Amino acid sequence: MRTYRGQRVRRSKLAVFGIILLVLIVLAGATFLILGNYVIYGPDGAYFPWSIRSSPPPSPSFTPVIDIVEPSPSPSPSPSPTPTPTPVGAQSLRAAVLPASALGDQTAVDNVIRLYEAGVISAVVIEVKTEDGMLSYPSTLPAVMQAGLSASGDAALNVIRALKEKDIPLVAQMACFKDRGLPQKDGQVGVKHVSGVNWLDSARGRWLDPYKEPAVQYLLDIMAEVSGLGFDELLLTEVCFPTGTGSDRIDYGELGATTTRLQAINKFLDRVEALCDRQGVALSVTVSAKAAQEGSFPDAGQSVSAMLTRADRVFAPVALENAGESFAAFRTSAGPAATATRFGPVFTLPQTLTKEALQVALDAAAGLDGSFLLTNPQARYPQ
């Protein structure tokens, strides 16, 4: 009986437990059904609204602005002042001439190279236009080629190249208005006799007329071409009108009656100076002994002081005998601009001259720092 009752009690407890469990299951299901509509799903999982703690609203997204402070550049050291170059006119030109006839002579070329390497000269002069009107290099100018006045060989160009390889400064020498060649080929450029034919000087040489624009332009074209061959300076000779026997029989036309010869030559040199400035080359000019002695020679159109205002240097021929005394007189006539570097002698040297005699003449006329030109038809200079 007791066993039976215990079994009944246990069954009752189980029944009660089952009922409670069933009620809990029903309540859980109902809760899920009711609260499912309130569940919020976010990036961090599911949650209920009342489970969110109050917090300040999130700050809107923004791109931070960063103040970049550029570092102050470190102060650069003050640049060293660039030394002012010595003006060309303040430099001396001490040079020996290689005539056009000697450009194919290797002995002559070696001779002037040795003078340069020994410090006797500071540059070499190469004759590019002779008084015959011939150019010593092959020109590409139509007027030169048509007149047949261009060299056919490369002797001059070879010498230019060889000297430039040794860094030897080069000067191009041009005979300007004394020109036997072009007036014979072109009747519009020469100095005319009153009869209308080309005027001839006492050596039967022809001249270009400084009053005639085609003649002037012809020379300027050659200068421009020569400047492009590697020369550092132009040396112009025969920058003048012809004078002497028979010059009173020249007809210079209307310009000759209204413009003086000095004015014509100065105007020509103004154009040459402008060309040299454009081409980046220096300019030297030779004058006659008469112009140097008297300061000017109006019949020839030469004034030393006027030339010194247009050219870097002016040279005048001086005899070796009493060179110092003779050139001192020239310098006095030329005026205060004729300093030793800007106004120098031209010495024509005989082949028999000793180097001691040459040194005496150079010291007397040019001084230690003065300019001078040495010339010899065969370029045979004392070593």
Side-chain angles (χ1 to χ4, degrees):
M1 194 69 179
R2 185 178 293 171
T3 303
Y4 177 72
R5 182 184 276 179
Q7 291 175 346
R8 287 181 63 187
V9 171
R10 284 195 297 274
R11 287 193 189 105
S12 297
K13 289 180 179 178
L14 289 172
V16 171
F17 179 77
I19 292 170
I20 292 172
L21 182 61
L22 179 60
V23 170
L24 291 174
I25 292 172
V26 171
L27 288 174
T31 300
F32 181 78
L33 291 173
I34 294 171
L35 298 178
N37 294 327
Y38 297 94
V39 176
I40 298 174
Y41 298 91
D44 298 325
Y47 55 90
F48 297 106
W50 54 81
S51 67
I52 304 174
R53 294 180 180 177
S54 62
S55 59
S59 302
S61 61
F62 67 99
T63 302
V65 177
I66 302 175
D67 290 333
I68 301 176
V69 180
E70 295 288 344
S72 300
S74 56
S76 0
S78 299
S80 301
T82 303
T84 304
T86 305
V88 174
Q91 302 170 359
S92 61
L93 175 64
R94 306 163 71 88
V97 178
L98 267 175
S101 59
L103 292 176
D105 183 349
Q106 191 59 47
T107 300
V109 176
D110 292 340
N111 198 358
V112 295
I113 290 175
R114 284 194 296 270
L115 285 177
Y116 177 81
E117 292 175 341
V120 177
I121 60 175
S122 61
V124 172
V125 177
I126 296 176
E127 188 177 27
V128 297
K129 181 178 182 291
T130 69
E131 294 179 0
D132 286 336
M134 287 295 302
L135 303 190
S136 63
Y137 67 94
S139 174
T140 60
L141 295 173
V144 175
M145 293 189 292
Q146 289 170 9
L149 297 173
S150 175
S152 56
D154 292 334
L157 299 181
N158 292 336
V159 172
I160 293 169
R161 189 178 304 111
L163 297 184
K164 285 185 69 67
E165 287 176 355
K166 294 180 176 293
D167 294 325
I168 299 177
L170 300 179
V171 181
Q173 177 176 304
M174 286 182 55
C176 287
F177 294 105
K178 190 171 186 178
D179 186 317
R180 295 184 180 90
L182 187 64
Q184 187 176 21
K185 305 290 183 178
D186 184 349
Q188 305 303 311
V189 296
V191 170
K192 298 295 184 181
H193 187 271
V194 290
S195 64
V197 301
N198 284 323
W199 179 84
L200 302 178
D201 61 21
S202 57
R204 301 193 63 77
R206 301 175 188 84
W207 288 68
L208 298 175
D209 189 341
Y211 286 119
K212 294 179 178 176
E213 176 60 23
V216 169
Q217 189 60 55
Y218 175 77
L219 294 175
L220 293 173
D221 289 343
I222 294 174
M223 292 176 203
E225 183 177 56
V226 165
S227 300
L229 297 179
F231 287 97
D232 305 286
E233 184 161 349
L234 297 180
L235 171 64
L236 307 184
T237 68
E238 309 299 336
V239 186
C240 58
F241 286 80
T243 57
T245 304
S247 58
D248 58 333
R249 302 296 292 165
I250 294 174
D251 179 13
Y252 287 116
E254 293 182 6
L255 275 178
T258 58
T259 305
T260 68
R261 299 178 193 181
L262 282 171
Q263 290 171 334
I265 293 298
N266 289 342
K267 182 179 178 181
F268 168 71
L269 287 176
D270 285 339
R271 296 175 67 177
V272 174
E273 181 186 15
L275 182 147
C276 289
D277 288 342
R278 291 194 302 271
Q279 299 293 116
V281 295
L283 173 63
S284 290
V285 182
T286 65
V287 296
S288 66
K290 183 176 177 62
Q293 184 176 7
E294 300 179 6
S296 67
F297 187 8
D299 286 350
Q302 291 186 335
S303 164
V304 178
S305 60
M307 287 180 168
L308 283 169
T309 65
R310 293 164 171 83
D312 296 293
R313 280 169 293 271
V314 175
F315 293 91
V318 177
L320 288 168
E321 300 79 15
N322 300 319
E325 183 178 345
S326 299
F327 200 69
F330 285 1
R331 190 168 283 130
T332 300
S333 298
T339 61
T341 56
R342 298 200 62 207
F343 189 48
V346 181
F347 290 126
T348 300
L349 307 182
Q351 294 188 31
T352 56
L353 184 70
T354 65
K355 62 180 181 181
E356 290 80 12
L358 174 60
Q359 192 61 57
V360 169
L362 292 179
D363 291 344
L368 295 178
D369 299 319
S371 296
F372 63 78
L373 296 176
L374 306 179
T375 181
N376 177 274
Q378 290 78 36
R380 297 293 191 265
Y381 299 106
Q383 295 297 304

